[in-house]
């Protein structure tokens, strides 16, 4: 009879993740206990082979760049981002037709993270007009013209507008009351939020998108927060990280960030098992690749520099100490996520750069350059530079925005 752990692994693998390949089971009798390590090292699966390939390509890069003092190639990446504001995007980006606010946030934020002046007034005008024209009455926001309001796009739209420095008084045009009523209507009996009024999933991601917008727009009422803490507590898994839903789920970097940032907004980090969360974050960083994976037995990926790195930065800000190796992460970002051949930042060597990874890898780079400490409220997390010259501006790790923009935006709605 299979033991409980194998049944659990099988359930997660086959039922939850829908994978067709079965879990490989190796058992050993008690006398062989000393042999367990060699046994696991002998085990070769598609997963271990894929990882070995990534380890080799990363090690080659570290060897090649051993004596080079690598920096972020800012002007080079700027070209990639500027191009998108002045040219049509390639046809394959049609797939992101329902994610237009995301493109604006990723591109606008990346420029702003490298140099505040690079997100020009022209770009701020373009971002704010596009978002306000696509959604009726200033929100709740949708993914594109003629689409339904959606919680995830609403978050991206509000965050992108926060980058616009109130261009043409665009912040007054956000329908704060309408967004609040809509968020209340999205609340589910289990404390989470569904993504759409008509139909939509309910998970930690949507919960973060609701709470962060509410915190920024000063509409985080007790009514809106009822049951959210209990919902999030149930999403922490036996591994220490968080899954998307309260039922049995796999701990994942993105969901973990969303749950932890939400708890920081609620001021309730102490209600979870912080020790096991920190162990899980630490276990996501590999010695060989130096960057993070998003889940157990998955490959390293640059965007988790922020999803896991941001989680660690929030815990650091709230006095729980550091659980990641920032210089190692910095190495992965600068040596494996960027090349001199193509502008923009990428997931890992061999992958193409994209706007999503450019933004989250840059946010991760900022985490390697600063120490974080909360000052009074979640809106005010101070960043002390570790090095004399930081390449990225200070960020607020709860909101994924430059600290300066976030504080100005929040102040606008604070009275
Ligand atoms: Zn990624």
């Amino acid at each position: 009879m299979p033991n409980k752990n194998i049944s659990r692994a099988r359930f997660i693998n086959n039922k939850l993740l829908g994978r067709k390949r079965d879990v490989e089971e190796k058992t050993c009798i008690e006398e062989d206990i000393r042999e367990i390590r060699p046994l696991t090292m002998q085990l070769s699966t598609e997963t271990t082979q894929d990882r070995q390939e990534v380890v080799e390509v990363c090690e080659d890069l570290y060897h090649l760049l051993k004596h080079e003092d690598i920096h972020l190639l800012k002007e080079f990446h700027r070209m990639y981002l500027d191009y998108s504001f002045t040219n049509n995007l390639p046809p394959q980006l049609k797939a992101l037709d329902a994610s237009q606010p995301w493109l604006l946030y990723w591109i606008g934020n990346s420029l702003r993270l490298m140099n505040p002046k690079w997100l020009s007034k022209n770009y701020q005008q373009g971002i704010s007009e596009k978002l306000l024209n696509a959604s009726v009455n200033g929100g709740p926001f949708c993914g594109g013209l003629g689409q339904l309001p959606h919680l995830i796009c609403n978050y991206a739209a509000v965050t992108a507008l926060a980058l616009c420095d109130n261009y043409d008084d665009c912040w007054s045009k956000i329908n704060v009351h309408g967004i609040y009523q809509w968020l209340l209507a999205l609340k589910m009996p289990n404390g989470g939020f569904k993504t759409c009024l008509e139909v939509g999933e309910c998970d930690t991601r949507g919960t973060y998108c609701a709470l962060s917008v509410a915190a920024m727009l000063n509409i985080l009422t007790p009514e809106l927060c009822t049951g959210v803490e209990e919902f999030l507590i149930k999403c922490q898994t036996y591994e220490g990280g968080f899954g998307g839903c309260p039922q049995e789920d796999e701990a994942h970097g993105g969901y973990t960030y969303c749950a932890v940032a939400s708890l920081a907004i609620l001021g309730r980090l102490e209600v979870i098992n912080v020790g096991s969360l920190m162990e899980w974050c630490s276990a996501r960083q590999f010695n060989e690749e130096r960057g993070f994976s998003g889940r157990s037995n998955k490959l390293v990926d640059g965007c988790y520099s922020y999803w896991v790195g941001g989680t660690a930065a929030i815990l650091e800000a709230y006095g729980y100490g550091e659980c990641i190796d920032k210089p190692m992460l910095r190495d992965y970002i600068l040596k494996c996520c960027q090349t001199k051949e193509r502008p923009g930042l990428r997931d890992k060597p061999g992958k193409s750069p994209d706007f999503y990874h450019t933004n989250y890898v840059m946010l991760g780079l900022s985490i390697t350059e600063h120490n974080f400490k909360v000052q009074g409220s979640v809106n005010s997390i101070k960043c002390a530079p570790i090095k004399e010259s930081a390449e990225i501006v200070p960020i607020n790790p709860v909101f994924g925005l430059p600290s300066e923009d976030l504080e100005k935006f929040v102040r606008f709605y604070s009275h």
Side-chain angles (χ1 to χ4, degrees):
M1 203 172 104
N3 71 35
K4 207 172 151 223
N5 286 340
I6 288 291
S7 313
R8 181 194 284 267
R10 232 172 229 144
F11 175 79
I12 292 174
N13 196 47
N14 301 341
K15 295 282 185 288
L16 286 182
L17 303 175
R19 291 178 183 143
K20 294 199 175 65
R21 190 156 43 85
D22 200 10
V23 174
E24 272 204 44
E25 185 180 2
K26 298 254 178 188
T27 47
C28 62
I29 51 172
E30 208 166 326
E31 293 89 78
D32 292 338
I33 210 86
R34 277 170 286 126
E35 302 301 319
I36 285 180
R37 202 172 152 70
L39 186 70
T40 54
M41 285 163 82
Q42 285 162 26
L43 189 69
S44 177
T45 66
E46 217 177 299
T47 311
T48 61
Q49 288 155 16
D50 286 350
R51 174 159 185 240
Q52 199 46 42
E53 279 174 29
V54 176
V55 167
E56 281 165 21
V57 71
C58 290
E59 282 176 344
D60 285 350
L61 280 169
Y62 291 135
H63 182 71
L64 191 73
L65 303 170
K66 197 164 51 179
H67 300 297
E68 286 195 39
D69 187 18
I70 310 266
H71 294 276
L72 188 68
L73 305 168
K74 289 195 197 179
E75 292 285 355
F76 192 46
H77 302 313
R78 183 189 184 184
M79 274 170 24
Y80 172 62
L81 300 160
D82 272 345
Y83 183 89
S84 67
F85 271 120
T86 43
N87 292 273
N88 288 331
L89 294 176
Q92 66 268 27
L93 287 192
K94 260 191 213 159
L96 293 179
D97 185 53
S99 302
Q100 294 174 42
W102 281 104
L103 287 165
L104 297 173
Y105 161 65
W106 295 330
I107 299 167
N109 204 41
S110 300
L111 282 167
R112 182 70 182 76
L113 288 170
M114 289 193 289
N115 185 330
K117 296 196 181 88
W118 287 355
L119 189 70
S120 65
K121 288 282 163 217
N122 269 350
Y123 291 168
Q124 289 172 333
Q125 179 183 7
I127 292 173
S128 54
E129 286 182 356
K130 185 174 173 72
L131 289 168
L132 290 163
N133 287 337
S135 293
V136 201
N137 302 329
F141 292 94
C142 55
L145 197 61
Q147 298 175 20
L148 294 171
H150 191 280
L151 187 54
I152 311 298
C153 295
N154 186 66
Y155 160 81
V158 171
T159 312
L161 285 165
L163 294 167
C164 292
D165 196 23
N166 200 18
Y167 179 86
D168 193 26
D169 204 22
C170 65
W171 291 350
S172 299
K173 295 171 191 160
I174 298 179
N175 180 3
V176 178
H177 182 69
I179 291 176
Y180 178 65
Q181 293 301 328
W182 177 71
L183 290 177
L184 278 180
L186 293 175
K187 253 187 101 67
M188 301 288 284
N190 66 0
F193 293 82
K194 59 180 173 178
T195 49
C196 245
L197 276 184
E198 293 72 12
V199 61
E201 67 275 26
C202 168
D203 53 30
T204 43
R205 182 187 56 143
T207 303
Y208 168 70
C209 289
L211 290 197
S212 65
V213 162
M216 286 190 276
L217 300 181
N218 196 21
I219 47 174
L220 192 72
T221 62
E223 198 182 357
L224 197 71
C225 298
T226 308
V228 178
E229 178 185 321
E230 290 75 14
F231 173 80
L232 294 169
I233 291 170
K234 288 185 203 146
C235 295
Q236 187 169 25
T237 80
Y238 67 96
E239 286 189 271
F242 287 71
C245 308
Q247 59 267 30
E248 190 119 13
D249 201 353
E250 187 182 17
H252 179 281
Y255 289 131
T256 299
Y257 172 80
C258 289
V260 172
S262 297
L263 286 160
I265 290 169
L266 294 171
R268 297 289 287 158
L269 280 170
E270 70 277 12
V271 298
I272 53 165
N273 185 338
V274 175
S276 73
L277 169 63
M278 290 177 85
E279 278 180 26
W280 182 83
C281 288
S282 175
R284 300 278 58 75
Q285 191 163 23
F286 295 124
N287 281 337
E288 293 84 354
E289 300 92 315
R290 308 184 190 178
F292 297 118
S293 70
R295 288 181 265 163
S296 296
N297 294 319
K298 292 284 280 182
L299 301 175
V300 68
D301 177 345
C303 63
Y304 295 106
S305 307
Y306 184 65
W307 301 128
V308 179
T311 302
I314 294 169
L315 295 175
E316 183 194 326
Y318 281 83
Y320 291 104
E322 282 192 44
C323 58
I324 59 168
D325 189 321
K326 293 180 181 180
M328 294 258 282
L329 176 61
R330 189 176 177 80
D331 253 2
Y332 180 71
I333 289 174
L334 293 176
K335 293 176 182 169
C336 295
C337 295
Q338 77 170 352
T339 64
K340 287 180 182 154
E341 284 75 48
R342 274 183 80 174
L345 299 167
R346 61 187 179 180
D347 160 346
K348 62 172 75 55
K351 299 269 185 181
S352 299
D354 60 64
F355 299 125
Y356 163 85
H357 283 93
T358 300
N359 179 51
Y360 291 109
V361 172
M362 279 189 198
L363 284 168
L365 185 60
S366 181
I367 284 160
T368 70
E369 298 184 321
H370 297 95
N371 286 321
F372 298 88
K373 190 160 179 33
V374 70
Q375 291 209 321
S377 91
V378 70
N379 305 324
S380 175
I381 292 182
K382 288 291 160 239
C383 304
I386 296 171
K387 283 169 49 138
E388 274 163 35
S389 54
E391 313 212 32
I392 300 283
V393 302
I395 62 152
N396 184 311
V398 176
F399 297 93
L401 282 168
S403 306
E404 196 187 332
D405 295 271
L406 187 262
E407 284 171 29
K408 202 168 173 186
F409 191 57
V410 168
R411 219 176 301 128
F412 183 85
Y413 298 99
S414 65
H415 33 75

